[in-house]
Structure formats: C-alpha cells, structure tokens
Amino acid sequence: MLILDQLWIILALPLLGSAINGIFGLWLGSRWSNSTVNTVGVGSVGLSFLCVLEAVREFLQVPADQIPVFHDYFTWMIAGPFRAGFALQVDQLSVVMLLIVTGVGLLVHIFSVGYMAHEGGYYRFFSYLNLFVFFMLTLVLGANLLVTFVGWEGVGLCSYLLIGFWFLKKSAADAGKKAFITTRIGDMGFMVGILLVFATFNTVDYRGIFSTLAQRNVPVETHLGVITAICLLLFAGAIGKSAQLPLYVWLPDAMEGPTPVSALIHAATMVTAGVYMVARMNPLYARSPIAMLVVAIIGGVTAFYAATIGIAQTDIKKVLAYSTVSQLGYMFLACGVGAYSAGIFHLMTHAFFKGLLFLASGSVIHAMGGEQDMLKMGGLRKKIPVTFWTMLIGTIAIAGIPPFAGFFSKDQILFAAWAGPYANKPLYLLGICAAAITSFYMFRLIFLTFFGEPRYDEHHVHVHESPWSMLGPLCILALLSTVGGWFAAPTLWGGEDAFGKFLSPVFAQAAALAPVTEEASHSLELQFSAIAVAVGLIGLLVAWWLYVKNPDLPARIAKSLGGLYTLVYNKYFVDEIYGALIVTPLLWISTNVLWHVVDEGMIDGAVNGAADVAQAAGGEARKLQSGYTRSYATWVIIGAVGFSAVLYGLLRMKQ
C-alpha cells in the first residue's frame, strides 16, 4: 500500500491518539501510569511522521506532470451547483509543511514528557496536542478551501484549549478567550473570501481556481477589483491567525500556556498558517499588486514594530513571543515582494530556531523552578550548559549570523525587498532595522539569563539541568538550526538555491506574472549579505556592551528615556487602547442594552407578561367555581340563552 494514495492515514493517526487519550487517558494513567499516555500521544505523532517520510519518498518519484498528487475520497457537501469533496493533495509546498508539522511536532511531544510530568491533566494535554497536529495536517493537506478551513478553525480551537490548559488560573483562561475571539475577527474575512472565491470561480478546489486563472489568462489587476477583494479578505484571516498588526495582541498573552504549547503552536506551526495560505494562493496574489503591497507593508511594519517592543520586555517568554510576531512579519514581507520561496524558507528555518528557543526557555524555567523574569536570573551558563549552548545556537541563528539557518533565509528576504521584481526600498530599510533590533534583544536575553552574577536566591532556587527527554529535542533542533539553511548555501558562490528550485513549480504562475527587471549581480547580493551580517553583529556588540561590560548602564538609560521607555515597556499601551475603545463599549452595550433592555425588558418581559395574563385570567375564572348550585344553574341558563341567540342569528342570516 502506498501512503501517497492513502493520505488520510497521516491525519487519522494523531486523531486516533487524541481520541484514545481524551476518552481513556484518565483510566490509562491511573491504571498503568503516564507511560501509557506517553506511548499513545508520542507514538501516534511518531507514526504519522514515519508515514510522512514514506509519502515524501514516494512523492520524489512522481513525474512532474502528475503533481500535485490529488485524492478526492468522498463527496462532503452538495448544495445546488456547489460541491465540495473531502479531498487531499500533496505538492512541493505540502511536503515542506508536512515535514515541519510532524517533525517539530514529534520533538515537542517528546519534550513535553519531561516538562509536563508533574502537571495535572497530563492525559488531557497530550490529547489536545494530538488534536492540534491532526487539524494542522488537515490545513496543510486540504485540496480545497473548505478542507483547509476546517483545519484553520480546528487549530484555532486547539490554541484556545492549550493556552487555557491551566484553566483555574484566570490569566490563562483570559488569554485563551482573547486568542479565540481575536482570531475569529480575521476569520470572518476569511469566510467571506471563500464565498467570493466560489462566486467568482464556481469552485473552491485549488486545482480548479488555478487552472481557471491560467486558461482564461486572467490579467494582472491594476485597480481594486474582485481578485484584489478576494486576496484582501483571505489576508484578513492570515492577519489574525499569524498575529500581524492590528490583530497581533493575542499572541504575547498566549505565553500563559505551557512552554511546549508556545513552541509548537506559537512558533513552529499554527501561526505560520497565514503565511502558508498566502503562499498557497500565490496565483491570485500575483494578479493583484495592490494586495501584495498591503501584505508587504503589514509584514514589514509588523516586523519592525514588534521588534521594538521586544527590547524592553523582561519575561523570557514574552521576548520570544514578540520575536515570533516580528519574524512572521518577515515572512509576509517576503510574500508581499514576490519572494514566496524565501518566505517559506524562513518559515522552515524559523520553525527550527524558534522552536529551539521556546523549548530552551522552558528548560530555563524548569531549572529556575518556574521563574520567567530574566532580571531574576543570571550566571546560569555553567549550571545548565546544554541548555545554554543550544539556546545560544538558536540566538545566533535568529540574529542572521552565518553559517546558521536564519542567515540564509533572512538574507534572501531582505535582498528581494531591495532588488526583487516587487522591490520596496522603504520596507527593506524597515527590515534591516528590525534585523539589528532582533539581534540586540536576543543577545540581551542570553546575557541577562546566562551571564553575570546570579540575581536569585541560591539557597531557595536549586538550579538543575533538565532531563534528557527535554534536552534531546533541544540538541536535534540546535543541529537543524545550524545546518537547516545550507540548502541555499551554494548561492554564496554563484550556485543554485536547492530549496527555491524544489518549490519553483508551486510558484510558477506567480513567477511568470512578475515584472521583468534587470537581474541583480551576484556581487551586489554578496554586498547586501554583508550588510545583513554587519547589523546582526552590531546588535550583538551593543547588547554585550550594555549587559556584560556595563551592566548598570541599561537601568540609567531607561531612566533617562523616561516616557519613551515607559511607552515601549508597556507595549505602546495598545491593549489598554483596545480595552477603552472596543472592549469597554461592547461590555456596556452588552450589559445595558442587550441584557437589561433586550433580554430582561423585551424577551423576559414578553414571557413574564404572558404568564401574568394567564395567571390573572385563571384567577378570575377560578371565582366562577363558587360551590353554590343556584349560581351554577344561573350560568347554565345564561349559556343556553346565549347559545340559542347565536344559533337563531345564524339561521336568520342563512335565510
């Protein structure tokens, strides 16, 4: 049996694992200990990963004219002319995403065995993680927008469940609700976009949409038309799911969930769903320069904006959260300037180094007994050396210093923003500034956490290295963060980009529609690579000067900046502004209008009024039951006379 012909197996395994742990996990854990829950939770994702590896092996042998590999397993919906099947497909883009989701997902599951070992609801946690992997695979493998949308909404549900895993903790419960509601705002646009796609193309299948665009030779839309509307509506969903301005506010609060959740959902997989969707729909976006410009501007501005917030944060996970928002901005900047392969390349390398950074931060928190404030750490590099070295590798990678993974992908994005067919030099400048700031705040994190004198009570905090169930995934991700960018390494000496070549068939329509520009010289590309490396090194040196050489200086600088530092430290007060302009008015309307006026006054009033009328009528009718025979006889006579009168009147009318 070929896995490529039975793609549903890849989905079914984590779904089965989720069902077993969700239904029987409590009983299994109490009967045979957590090892049974581990076997089911980790084993189901491990088997899915093996199936993906086999599917990839088979895919590489498929002739080019038979790609994408498409399977429509059964008809899902029929409504008039509308038909949607449960259809799955695999192409080059799917292959990359499948490997990321199942590979990084497996490592996070293994890490969770050690990290969550002493937490309540252990079986529930693994059930949610498995369910998330199922929905993410559904999103990636879906051959039409409806199947993709099921995965899209499913990962949103799992994000809510996992962020609020510690539901007795109010901040965690509130963060889960905030994530769910905020992403729903963008999803409304996504749903309307799907409806507009069907109204325009009479199908929601990717093959049908893209073939229609090619066969009809739909031109590039230079004005605000239906293609642009579709792209912007779909991008609204991406803004919510991938935490871009203005809907980014849910992701930093999502750090209330367990650290493995942050690594899997909010670094490596779910938040990249928006980038994947824009890349998947590249034939549409390539026909709308307006939509591409919007994507690029949102991405570039978000990359810079979120990076500035990361400078002042002291919670180790919050720093990484704003870093994630910033790096997602880079990916959208790449898509917006037409460098789709570079955007997906950065998506992959980001999964490696940001997954590593989040898991390493979890190892630090584990070592510190739950402490997350970097100002209460310091001097940890000799006490937890494996965690230190792996986290340092992730930091060097995200700073864009060669030969680590982030250098190659970030370099491609920045060069495309300067010299690509959709080049935008102001956005390049924003991107290069964001790169410098990123290097600064990430090395600030390293120096505050691992260098200097301990700033914690060594008598009460017994710092210890994590177990190998946690360190093993760190070492694997550190290796991937080191070598994961070497697919593009040959471009440094004039060779080809193997990763870009592999993905090129997926982006062929977009490439054909790109404006013709003079090809940039290889020497110019090397010069821009040198600039990118230089700003990364500058960020490192500034962080070293402030937090190692002159550790008292940052506090003095912060005090001298006054209101500006307060503004950045408090994240520009965006949450407070949203609360004042949106949340508070909605709560007032809900309480004073919808509750007191509509619910109590109108709905309850109508129901209670009907009851009062019935009660009053019954009370009056009850008085007729007096118990006196003469009274009853009188009413009988009155009734007989009245009936006779009515009958007589009807007979007269008939005559």
Short mmCIF file of all heavy atoms in Angstrom, two decimals, residues 396-453:
data_model
loop_
_atom_site.label_atom_id
_atom_site.label_comp_id
_atom_site.label_asym_id
_atom_site.label_seq_id
_atom_site.Cartn_x
_atom_site.Cartn_y
_atom_site.Cartn_z
N ILE A 396 22.00 32.82 17.74
CA ILE A 396 22.86 33.17 16.61
C ILE A 396 22.10 32.99 15.29
O ILE A 396 22.23 33.79 14.36
CB ILE A 396 24.14 32.31 16.62
CG1 ILE A 396 24.97 32.62 17.87
CG2 ILE A 396 24.98 32.56 15.38
CD1 ILE A 396 26.15 31.70 18.06
N ALA A 397 21.28 31.92 15.24
CA ALA A 397 20.51 31.65 14.02
C ALA A 397 19.50 32.76 13.75
O ALA A 397 19.39 33.26 12.62
CB ALA A 397 19.82 30.30 14.14
N ILE A 398 18.76 33.18 14.77
CA ILE A 398 17.73 34.21 14.55
C ILE A 398 18.37 35.57 14.29
O ILE A 398 17.78 36.43 13.62
CB ILE A 398 16.77 34.28 15.76
CG1 ILE A 398 15.50 35.06 15.37
CG2 ILE A 398 17.42 34.91 16.96
CD1 ILE A 398 14.44 35.08 16.45
N ALA A 399 19.60 35.78 14.79
CA ALA A 399 20.29 37.05 14.54
C ALA A 399 20.79 37.16 13.11
O ALA A 399 21.22 38.24 12.69
CB ALA A 399 21.45 37.21 15.52
N GLY A 400 20.75 36.06 12.36
CA GLY A 400 21.17 36.11 10.96
C GLY A 400 22.66 36.09 10.76
O GLY A 400 23.18 36.69 9.80
N ILE A 401 23.37 35.40 11.64
CA ILE A 401 24.83 35.32 11.54
C ILE A 401 25.20 33.99 10.88
O ILE A 401 24.74 32.93 11.31
CB ILE A 401 25.48 35.42 12.93
CG1 ILE A 401 25.16 36.81 13.53
CG2 ILE A 401 26.98 35.20 12.87
CD1 ILE A 401 25.59 36.97 14.97
N PRO A 402 26.01 33.99 9.81
CA PRO A 402 26.36 32.74 9.13
C PRO A 402 27.30 31.90 9.97
O PRO A 402 28.00 32.43 10.85
CB PRO A 402 27.05 33.24 7.85
CG PRO A 402 27.58 34.59 8.20
CD PRO A 402 26.59 35.17 9.18
N PRO A 403 27.28 30.57 9.75
CA PRO A 403 26.54 29.84 8.72
C PRO A 403 25.24 29.24 9.24
O PRO A 403 24.79 28.21 8.75
CB PRO A 403 27.52 28.73 8.35
CG PRO A 403 28.17 28.39 9.67
CD PRO A 403 28.25 29.68 10.45
N PHE A 404 24.62 29.87 10.23
CA PHE A 404 23.42 29.31 10.83
C PHE A 404 22.19 29.61 9.97
O PHE A 404 22.21 30.48 9.10
CB PHE A 404 23.27 29.84 12.26
CG PHE A 404 24.37 29.39 13.17
CD1 PHE A 404 25.56 30.09 13.26
CD2 PHE A 404 24.23 28.23 13.91
CE1 PHE A 404 26.58 29.68 14.09
CE2 PHE A 404 25.25 27.80 14.75
CZ PHE A 404 26.43 28.51 14.83
N ALA A 405 21.09 28.87 10.26
CA ALA A 405 19.97 28.80 9.33
C ALA A 405 19.33 30.15 9.04
O ALA A 405 18.99 30.46 7.90
CB ALA A 405 18.92 27.83 9.89
N GLY A 406 19.17 30.98 10.08
CA GLY A 406 18.47 32.24 9.88
C GLY A 406 19.17 33.19 8.93
O GLY A 406 18.51 34.02 8.29
N PHE A 407 20.47 33.08 8.80
CA PHE A 407 21.21 33.97 7.90
C PHE A 407 20.73 33.81 6.46
O PHE A 407 20.45 34.80 5.77
CB PHE A 407 22.70 33.67 7.99
CG PHE A 407 23.48 34.16 6.80
CD1 PHE A 407 23.73 35.51 6.63
CD2 PHE A 407 23.95 33.27 5.85
CE1 PHE A 407 24.44 35.96 5.52
CE2 PHE A 407 24.67 33.71 4.75
CZ PHE A 407 24.91 35.07 4.58
N PHE A 408 20.62 32.58 6.00
CA PHE A 408 20.30 32.34 4.59
C PHE A 408 18.88 32.79 4.25
O PHE A 408 18.66 33.44 3.22
CB PHE A 408 20.47 30.85 4.28
CG PHE A 408 21.88 30.37 4.44
CD1 PHE A 408 22.27 29.70 5.59
CD2 PHE A 408 22.82 30.59 3.46
CE1 PHE A 408 23.57 29.26 5.75
CE2 PHE A 408 24.13 30.15 3.60
CZ PHE A 408 24.51 29.49 4.76
N SER A 409 17.90 32.45 5.11
CA SER A 409 16.52 32.80 4.80
C SER A 409 16.26 34.29 4.94
O SER A 409 15.61 34.91 4.09
CB SER A 409 15.57 32.00 5.69
OG SER A 409 15.86 32.18 7.06
N LYS A 410 16.79 34.91 6.00
CA LYS A 410 16.57 36.35 6.20
C LYS A 410 17.29 37.15 5.11
O LYS A 410 16.77 38.17 4.62
CB LYS A 410 17.05 36.76 7.59
CG LYS A 410 16.65 38.17 7.98
CD LYS A 410 17.12 38.52 9.38
CE LYS A 410 16.34 37.76 10.42
NZ LYS A 410 16.65 38.20 11.80
N ASP A 411 18.46 36.69 4.70
CA ASP A 411 19.22 37.37 3.65
C ASP A 411 18.43 37.38 2.34
O ASP A 411 18.38 38.40 1.64
CB ASP A 411 20.56 36.67 3.45
CG ASP A 411 21.36 37.27 2.31
OD1 ASP A 411 21.75 38.44 2.43
OD2 ASP A 411 21.58 36.56 1.31
N GLN A 412 17.80 36.26 2.00
CA GLN A 412 17.00 36.20 0.78
C GLN A 412 15.84 37.18 0.82
O GLN A 412 15.53 37.84 -0.18
CB GLN A 412 16.47 34.77 0.58
CG GLN A 412 17.51 33.76 0.15
CD GLN A 412 16.89 32.42 -0.19
OE1 GLN A 412 15.68 32.23 -0.05
NE2 GLN A 412 17.70 31.48 -0.62
N ILE A 413 15.18 37.29 1.97
CA ILE A 413 14.04 38.20 2.10
C ILE A 413 14.48 39.65 1.93
O ILE A 413 13.86 40.42 1.17
CB ILE A 413 13.34 37.99 3.46
CG1 ILE A 413 12.73 36.60 3.54
CG2 ILE A 413 12.27 39.06 3.68
CD1 ILE A 413 12.21 36.23 4.91
N LEU A 414 15.53 40.02 2.63
CA LEU A 414 15.98 41.41 2.58
C LEU A 414 16.46 41.79 1.19
O LEU A 414 16.18 42.90 0.70
CB LEU A 414 17.08 41.64 3.61
CG LEU A 414 16.63 41.56 5.08
CD1 LEU A 414 17.84 41.63 6.01
CD2 LEU A 414 15.65 42.68 5.40
N PHE A 415 17.17 40.88 0.52
CA PHE A 415 17.66 41.19 -0.82
C PHE A 415 16.50 41.32 -1.81
O PHE A 415 16.51 42.19 -2.69
CB PHE A 415 18.65 40.13 -1.29
CG PHE A 415 19.32 40.47 -2.59
CD1 PHE A 415 20.17 41.56 -2.67
CD2 PHE A 415 19.09 39.72 -3.73
CE1 PHE A 415 20.79 41.90 -3.86
CE2 PHE A 415 19.70 40.05 -4.93
CZ PHE A 415 20.56 41.15 -5.00
N ALA A 416 15.47 40.45 -1.66
CA ALA A 416 14.30 40.55 -2.54
C ALA A 416 13.56 41.86 -2.31
O ALA A 416 13.02 42.46 -3.26
CB ALA A 416 13.36 39.37 -2.29
N ALA A 417 13.53 42.34 -1.06
CA ALA A 417 12.86 43.61 -0.77
C ALA A 417 13.60 44.79 -1.41
O ALA A 417 12.99 45.81 -1.73
CB ALA A 417 12.77 43.82 0.74
N TRP A 418 14.90 44.64 -1.63
CA TRP A 418 15.68 45.72 -2.25
C TRP A 418 15.74 45.61 -3.77
O TRP A 418 15.60 46.62 -4.46
CB TRP A 418 17.10 45.73 -1.69
CG TRP A 418 17.96 46.80 -2.29
CD1 TRP A 418 18.77 46.71 -3.39
CD2 TRP A 418 18.07 48.15 -1.84
NE1 TRP A 418 19.39 47.90 -3.63
CE2 TRP A 418 18.97 48.82 -2.70
CE3 TRP A 418 17.50 48.86 -0.78
CZ2 TRP A 418 19.30 50.15 -2.53
CZ3 TRP A 418 17.83 50.20 -0.61
CH2 TRP A 418 18.72 50.83 -1.48
N ALA A 419 15.94 44.39 -4.27
CA ALA A 419 16.24 44.26 -5.70
C ALA A 419 15.33 43.29 -6.44
O ALA A 419 15.59 42.98 -7.60
CB ALA A 419 17.71 43.79 -5.86
N GLY A 420 14.26 42.78 -5.80
CA GLY A 420 13.36 41.85 -6.46
C GLY A 420 12.41 42.54 -7.43
O GLY A 420 12.40 43.77 -7.54
N PRO A 421 11.57 41.78 -8.12
CA PRO A 421 10.63 42.37 -9.10
C PRO A 421 9.61 43.29 -8.44
O PRO A 421 9.08 44.19 -9.08
CB PRO A 421 9.98 41.15 -9.75
CG PRO A 421 10.22 40.02 -8.80
CD PRO A 421 11.51 40.31 -8.12
N TYR A 422 9.28 43.05 -7.18
CA TYR A 422 8.35 43.92 -6.45
C TYR A 422 9.09 44.66 -5.33
O TYR A 422 8.57 44.84 -4.23
CB TYR A 422 7.21 43.09 -5.85
CG TYR A 422 6.38 42.36 -6.87
CD1 TYR A 422 6.65 41.03 -7.20
CD2 TYR A 422 5.31 42.98 -7.51
CE1 TYR A 422 5.89 40.35 -8.12
CE2 TYR A 422 4.53 42.30 -8.44
CZ TYR A 422 4.84 40.98 -8.74
OH TYR A 422 4.08 40.30 -9.66
N ALA A 423 10.31 45.08 -5.61
CA ALA A 423 11.17 45.69 -4.58
C ALA A 423 10.49 46.90 -3.96
O ALA A 423 9.76 47.66 -4.61
CB ALA A 423 12.50 46.10 -5.20
N ASN A 424 10.75 47.07 -2.67
CA ASN A 424 10.21 48.21 -1.93
C ASN A 424 11.29 48.66 -0.95
O ASN A 424 11.44 48.10 0.13
CB ASN A 424 8.93 47.80 -1.20
CG ASN A 424 8.17 48.98 -0.64
OD1 ASN A 424 8.74 49.81 0.05
ND2 ASN A 424 6.88 49.05 -0.95
N LYS A 425 12.04 49.66 -1.35
CA LYS A 425 13.22 50.06 -0.57
C LYS A 425 12.89 50.57 0.84
O LYS A 425 13.63 50.27 1.79
CB LYS A 425 14.05 51.06 -1.36
CG LYS A 425 14.71 50.42 -2.58
CD LYS A 425 15.47 51.42 -3.40
CE LYS A 425 16.26 50.71 -4.53
NZ LYS A 425 15.37 49.92 -5.42
N PRO A 426 11.80 51.34 1.04
CA PRO A 426 11.46 51.71 2.43
C PRO A 426 11.21 50.50 3.33
O PRO A 426 11.62 50.49 4.49
CB PRO A 426 10.20 52.57 2.27
CG PRO A 426 10.31 53.13 0.90
CD PRO A 426 10.94 52.06 0.07
N LEU A 427 10.57 49.47 2.76
CA LEU A 427 10.33 48.27 3.55
C LEU A 427 11.62 47.50 3.79
O LEU A 427 11.78 46.84 4.83
CB LEU A 427 9.30 47.37 2.85
CG LEU A 427 7.87 47.92 2.81
CD1 LEU A 427 6.94 46.96 2.09
CD2 LEU A 427 7.35 48.21 4.21
N TYR A 428 12.56 47.57 2.85
CA TYR A 428 13.88 46.97 3.09
C TYR A 428 14.55 47.63 4.29
O TYR A 428 15.12 46.95 5.15
CB TYR A 428 14.77 47.11 1.86
CG TYR A 428 16.23 46.84 2.16
CD1 TYR A 428 16.71 45.54 2.22
CD2 TYR A 428 17.12 47.90 2.42
CE1 TYR A 428 18.05 45.28 2.53
CE2 TYR A 428 18.45 47.65 2.73
CZ TYR A 428 18.91 46.34 2.78
OH TYR A 428 20.22 46.09 3.10
N LEU A 429 14.47 48.97 4.35
CA LEU A 429 15.09 49.68 5.47
C LEU A 429 14.43 49.30 6.80
O LEU A 429 15.12 49.14 7.82
CB LEU A 429 14.99 51.19 5.24
CG LEU A 429 15.78 51.72 4.04
CD1 LEU A 429 15.52 53.21 3.85
CD2 LEU A 429 17.27 51.45 4.21
N LEU A 430 13.10 49.14 6.80
CA LEU A 430 12.42 48.67 8.00
C LEU A 430 12.91 47.28 8.38
O LEU A 430 13.15 46.98 9.56
CB LEU A 430 10.90 48.63 7.78
CG LEU A 430 10.10 49.90 8.04
CD1 LEU A 430 8.62 49.64 7.81
CD2 LEU A 430 10.33 50.41 9.45
N GLY A 431 13.07 46.42 7.37
CA GLY A 431 13.51 45.05 7.62
C GLY A 431 14.93 45.00 8.17
O GLY A 431 15.21 44.22 9.10
N ILE A 432 15.82 45.81 7.65
CA ILE A 432 17.21 45.78 8.11
C ILE A 432 17.30 46.37 9.52
O ILE A 432 18.08 45.89 10.37
CB ILE A 432 18.14 46.53 7.14
CG1 ILE A 432 19.59 46.04 7.29
CG2 ILE A 432 18.06 48.02 7.29
CD1 ILE A 432 19.83 44.68 6.75
N CYS A 433 16.48 47.38 9.83
CA CYS A 433 16.44 47.91 11.20
C CYS A 433 15.89 46.87 12.17
O CYS A 433 16.41 46.70 13.28
CB CYS A 433 15.58 49.17 11.26
SG CYS A 433 16.31 50.60 10.42
N ALA A 434 14.85 46.16 11.73
CA ALA A 434 14.29 45.10 12.57
C ALA A 434 15.31 44.00 12.82
O ALA A 434 15.37 43.42 13.91
CB ALA A 434 13.04 44.52 11.92
N ALA A 435 16.16 43.72 11.82
CA ALA A 435 17.19 42.69 11.99
C ALA A 435 18.20 43.10 13.06
O ALA A 435 18.61 42.28 13.89
CB ALA A 435 17.90 42.45 10.65
N ALA A 436 18.59 44.36 13.06
CA ALA A 436 19.54 44.86 14.07
C ALA A 436 18.92 44.79 15.46
O ALA A 436 19.57 44.35 16.43
CB ALA A 436 19.95 46.28 13.74
N ILE A 437 17.66 45.21 15.57
CA ILE A 437 16.98 45.20 16.87
C ILE A 437 16.80 43.76 17.36
O ILE A 437 16.97 43.47 18.55
CB ILE A 437 15.63 45.92 16.77
CG1 ILE A 437 15.84 47.39 16.40
CG2 ILE A 437 14.86 45.81 18.07
CD1 ILE A 437 14.56 48.13 16.07
N THR A 438 16.46 42.85 16.43
CA THR A 438 16.29 41.44 16.79
C THR A 438 17.56 40.88 17.39
O THR A 438 17.54 40.20 18.43
CB THR A 438 15.88 40.61 15.56
OG1 THR A 438 14.63 41.09 15.06
CG2 THR A 438 15.76 39.13 15.92
N SER A 439 18.69 41.13 16.74
CA SER A 439 19.97 40.65 17.26
C SER A 439 20.22 41.23 18.64
O SER A 439 20.66 40.51 19.56
CB SER A 439 21.10 41.04 16.31
OG SER A 439 22.35 40.63 16.82
N PHE A 440 19.91 42.51 18.83
CA PHE A 440 20.16 43.14 20.12
C PHE A 440 19.34 42.49 21.24
O PHE A 440 19.88 42.09 22.27
CB PHE A 440 19.84 44.63 20.04
CG PHE A 440 19.79 45.31 21.38
CD1 PHE A 440 20.96 45.59 22.07
CD2 PHE A 440 18.57 45.63 21.97
CE1 PHE A 440 20.92 46.19 23.32
CE2 PHE A 440 18.53 46.23 23.22
CZ PHE A 440 19.71 46.51 23.89
N TYR A 441 18.01 42.39 21.05
CA TYR A 441 17.20 41.90 22.18
C TYR A 441 17.38 40.40 22.41
O TYR A 441 17.19 39.93 23.54
CB TYR A 441 15.73 42.29 22.05
CG TYR A 441 14.92 41.64 20.95
CD1 TYR A 441 14.61 40.28 20.97
CD2 TYR A 441 14.38 42.41 19.92
CE1 TYR A 441 13.83 39.71 19.98
CE2 TYR A 441 13.61 41.85 18.93
CZ TYR A 441 13.33 40.49 18.96
OH TYR A 441 12.57 39.92 17.97
N MET A 442 17.78 39.64 21.38
CA MET A 442 18.01 38.22 21.60
C MET A 442 19.31 37.99 22.36
O MET A 442 19.38 37.14 23.26
CB MET A 442 18.02 37.47 20.28
CG MET A 442 16.64 37.29 19.65
SD MET A 442 15.43 36.52 20.75
CE MET A 442 16.26 35.02 21.21
N PHE A 443 20.35 38.74 22.04
CA PHE A 443 21.59 38.61 22.82
C PHE A 443 21.42 39.24 24.21
O PHE A 443 22.06 38.81 25.17
CB PHE A 443 22.76 39.20 22.06
CG PHE A 443 23.30 38.27 21.01
CD1 PHE A 443 23.02 38.47 19.66
CD2 PHE A 443 24.05 37.16 21.37
CE1 PHE A 443 23.50 37.60 18.69
CE2 PHE A 443 24.53 36.28 20.41
CZ PHE A 443 24.26 36.49 19.07
N ARG A 444 20.58 40.24 24.32
CA ARG A 444 20.21 40.76 25.65
C ARG A 444 19.62 39.64 26.49
O ARG A 444 19.95 39.49 27.68
CB ARG A 444 19.21 41.90 25.49
CG ARG A 444 18.53 42.36 26.77
CD ARG A 444 17.55 43.49 26.46
NE ARG A 444 16.80 43.94 27.62
CZ ARG A 444 15.60 43.48 27.96
NH1 ARG A 444 15.01 42.54 27.21
NH2 ARG A 444 14.98 43.95 29.03
N LEU A 445 18.74 38.84 25.89
CA LEU A 445 18.16 37.69 26.60
C LEU A 445 19.24 36.72 27.06
O LEU A 445 19.24 36.26 28.21
CB LEU A 445 17.15 36.98 25.67
CG LEU A 445 16.39 35.76 26.19
CD1 LEU A 445 15.06 35.62 25.47
CD2 LEU A 445 17.18 34.46 26.00
N ILE A 446 20.20 36.41 26.16
CA ILE A 446 21.28 35.49 26.50
C ILE A 446 22.13 36.04 27.64
O ILE A 446 22.43 35.34 28.62
CB ILE A 446 22.16 35.21 25.26
CG1 ILE A 446 21.39 34.36 24.23
CG2 ILE A 446 23.46 34.51 25.66
CD1 ILE A 446 21.11 32.95 24.67
N PHE A 447 22.50 37.29 27.56
CA PHE A 447 23.40 37.87 28.57
C PHE A 447 22.70 38.03 29.92
O PHE A 447 23.31 37.78 30.97
CB PHE A 447 23.94 39.21 28.08
CG PHE A 447 24.81 39.10 26.86
CD1 PHE A 447 24.73 40.05 25.84
CD2 PHE A 447 25.70 38.05 26.72
CE1 PHE A 447 25.54 39.95 24.70
CE2 PHE A 447 26.51 37.94 25.59
CZ PHE A 447 26.43 38.88 24.58
N LEU A 448 21.43 38.43 29.92
CA LEU A 448 20.71 38.56 31.18
C LEU A 448 20.48 37.21 31.84
O LEU A 448 20.51 37.09 33.07
CB LEU A 448 19.35 39.25 30.95
CG LEU A 448 19.35 40.77 30.79
CD1 LEU A 448 17.95 41.26 30.46
CD2 LEU A 448 19.87 41.45 32.05
N THR A 449 20.25 36.18 31.04
CA THR A 449 19.90 34.87 31.58
C THR A 449 21.12 34.07 32.01
O THR A 449 21.13 33.46 33.09
CB THR A 449 19.10 34.06 30.53
OG1 THR A 449 17.94 34.81 30.14
CG2 THR A 449 18.65 32.71 31.09
N PHE A 450 22.17 34.08 31.20
CA PHE A 450 23.27 33.14 31.41
C PHE A 450 24.57 33.77 31.90
O PHE A 450 25.47 33.05 32.31
CB PHE A 450 23.54 32.38 30.11
CG PHE A 450 22.40 31.50 29.68
CD1 PHE A 450 21.54 31.90 28.67
CD2 PHE A 450 22.19 30.27 30.28
CE1 PHE A 450 20.48 31.09 28.27
CE2 PHE A 450 21.15 29.44 29.88
CZ PHE A 450 20.29 29.86 28.87
N PHE A 451 24.70 35.10 31.81
CA PHE A 451 25.96 35.75 32.17
C PHE A 451 25.79 36.59 33.43
O PHE A 451 24.69 36.79 33.93
CB PHE A 451 26.46 36.62 31.01
CG PHE A 451 27.00 35.81 29.85
CD1 PHE A 451 26.13 35.19 28.96
CD2 PHE A 451 28.36 35.67 29.65
CE1 PHE A 451 26.61 34.45 27.90
CE2 PHE A 451 28.86 34.93 28.59
CZ PHE A 451 27.98 34.31 27.72
N GLY A 452 26.92 37.07 33.94
CA GLY A 452 26.90 37.92 35.12
C GLY A 452 26.74 37.11 36.40
O GLY A 452 26.81 35.89 36.42
N GLU A 453 26.51 37.85 37.47
CA GLU A 453 26.31 37.21 38.77
C GLU A 453 24.86 36.77 38.93
O GLU A 453 23.94 37.40 38.39
CB GLU A 453 26.67 38.20 39.89
CG GLU A 453 28.13 38.61 39.91
CD GLU A 453 29.05 37.41 40.14
OE1 GLU A 453 28.68 36.55 40.97
OE2 GLU A 453 30.11 37.35 39.50
#
